[in-house]
Amino acid sequence: MATIAFIGLGNMGGPMAANLAKAGHSVKAFDLSPQALEQAASQGCQIADSAQQAASGVDFVISMLPAGKHVEGLYVSGDQPLFDQLDSSTLVIDCSTIDADTARSVAAAGAEKGVGFIDAPVSGGVGGAQAGTLTFIVGGTDAQFQQAKPILECMGKNIFHAGDHGAGQIAKVCNNMLLGILMSGTCEALNMGVKNGLDPKVLSDIMKQSSGNNWALQVYNPFPGVMDGVPASRDYQGGFQVDLMFKDLGLAMDVSQKSAAATPMGSAARALFNLHKSAGNGGLDFSSLIKLYQDAD
Ligand code: NAD
């Protein structure tokens, strides 16, 4: 069993750290939020006073932080960067969704100090984090992928090696751009059907068995009352925040700009989530985008 530091115990990191502890690993957890620390302690993790204390003498450091600046600060440019204290016996696995350039530059900064760093963003949402069924999308060398795999398998079901450093983040951002487009389209179709007299559940059942079938209809219906256990059935609390989807669509637009890849649909989805966020909905689950359509009617 391994000794693991886990930094960032939010909606995703909390249940991921709990699953590592449940699998028998020794997990030393740190977050800036005292509530997140309390929750982690109740789920079998040891609590550290700082990221530096958590990362002392461990086999792996795993981070699950909001954005690139947090990851860069933790390992490279903060007050006591972890790359100054770690050595080649530790592999760093960053599971946050961040821009590929930062993932590559942090990996290069680690390599200069002899510390391995891979990007391993996830898909599957809070439900997947709790159930231990996440998809991990890894960017790094073959050897680093093989080293990380048994650890990632304690938190996920599908572990992919996308390519070298940064490739995990590129694949993740392609996926989330598609998710933003699919959710926007699903909200648009459901709202139009309901406006024309259809029952949202009946319409959802029809589209699920027809060519419009997609992930949002299958497991994450945005219309309240259609599906139990999804954010739409609890006032869009928990889940994947509009703020985070907006961040991911921004990352997709950066990749599109730098590579001159055409992304008109991604750009439209970003504009829709931007409008929704600007109306004060950034903290709601991203399926609340349907309110934008309902309010426009
Ligand atoms: P969250 O806001 O719930 O959690 C982030 C946690 O990081 C918070 O508890 C915060 O206190 C902590 N934190 C911030 N800076 C820190 C620091 N310097 N040291 C220690 N702790 C720090 O966010 P989340 O929903 O758990 O998402 C985390 C990452 O996972 C994001 O990059 C997000 O895009 C990605 N993601 C989220 C989902 C989802 O469904 N929520 C799905 C896939 C990927």
Side-chain angles (χ1 to χ4, degrees):
M1 286 294 140
T3 308
I4 302 169
F6 205 112
I7 318 292
L9 307 161
N11 288 327
M12 295 294 289
M16 289 165 70
N19 280 333
L20 287 171
K22 211 190 290 170
H25 295 294
S26 166
V27 181
K28 299 201 276 174
F30 178 70
D31 193 290
L32 299 174
S33 148
Q35 291 92 325
L37 287 172
E38 265 175 44
Q39 175 78 3
S42 73
Q43 293 182 314
C45 300
Q46 300 158 53
I47 298 312
D49 290 337
S50 65
Q52 290 70 27
Q53 192 191 67
S56 162
V58 294
D59 304 311
F60 296 91
V61 177
I62 302 181
S63 42
M64 193 51 164
L65 298 169
K69 64 180 179 193
H70 305 95
V71 174
E72 217 262 342
L74 178 67
Y75 296 109
V76 185
S77 63
D79 277 352
Q80 294 170 272
L82 290 190
F83 283 160
D84 281 358
Q85 82 174 63
L86 298 173
D87 62 32
S88 61
S89 63
T90 303
L91 178 66
V92 175
I93 306 174
D94 179 46
C95 298
S96 327
T97 303
I98 67 171
D99 61 289
D101 284 347
T102 299
R104 288 188 200 105
S105 70
V106 173
E112 261 177 40
K113 306 219 168 192
V115 185
F117 172 100
I118 58 173
D119 44 302
V122 306
S123 180
V126 175
Q130 288 166 341
T133 56
L134 290 169
T135 295
F136 283 87
I137 314 166
V138 175
T141 65
D142 281 342
Q144 288 169 332
F145 177 72
Q146 293 307 335
Q147 194 181 346
K149 201 166 172 233
I151 300 300
L152 301 181
E153 280 168 346
C154 300
M155 303 179 280
K157 201 168 59 169
N158 296 299
I159 321 293
F160 290 104
H161 188 192
D164 209 348
H165 297 103
Q169 298 295 353
I170 297 282
K172 166 70 183 169
V173 107
C174 292
N175 178 74
N176 275 29
M177 182 178 78
L178 181 56
L179 173 63
I181 293 167
L182 287 175
M183 183 56 83
S184 309
T186 302
C187 291
E188 202 161 300
L190 282 172
N191 183 61
M192 186 168 80
V194 169
K195 212 183 167 190
N196 283 276
L198 293 182
D199 179 312
K201 185 163 185 342
V202 172
L203 176 58
S204 297
D205 286 344
I206 292 168
M207 294 195 294
K208 260 199 293 189
Q209 298 304 326
S210 306
S211 43
N213 185 21
N214 70 75
W215 182 88
L217 283 173
Q218 282 167 13
V219 300
Y220 218 94
N221 197 296
F223 207 99
V226 171
M227 201 174 260
D228 290 335
V230 292
S233 68
R234 46 172 196 269
D235 270 340
Y236 303 104
Q237 299 302 309
F240 182 46
Q241 291 177 5
V242 169
D243 280 342
L244 290 176
M245 175 49 92
F246 181 63
K247 174 198 72 166
D248 289 358
L249 288 167
L251 294 176
M253 294 305 99
D254 286 346
V255 174
S256 150
Q257 171 80 18
K258 283 177 186 145
S259 56
T263 53
M265 303 280 284
S267 174
R270 180 169 189 261
L272 288 168
F273 279 99
N274 195 5
L275 275 176
H276 190 46
K277 173 184 164 67
S278 307
N281 299 306
L284 298 182
D285 177 74
F286 82 119
S287 63
S288 65
L289 186 76
I290 197 157
K291 286 162 167 277
L292 186 76
Y293 290 93
Q294 291 167 331
D295 293 349
D297 288 342

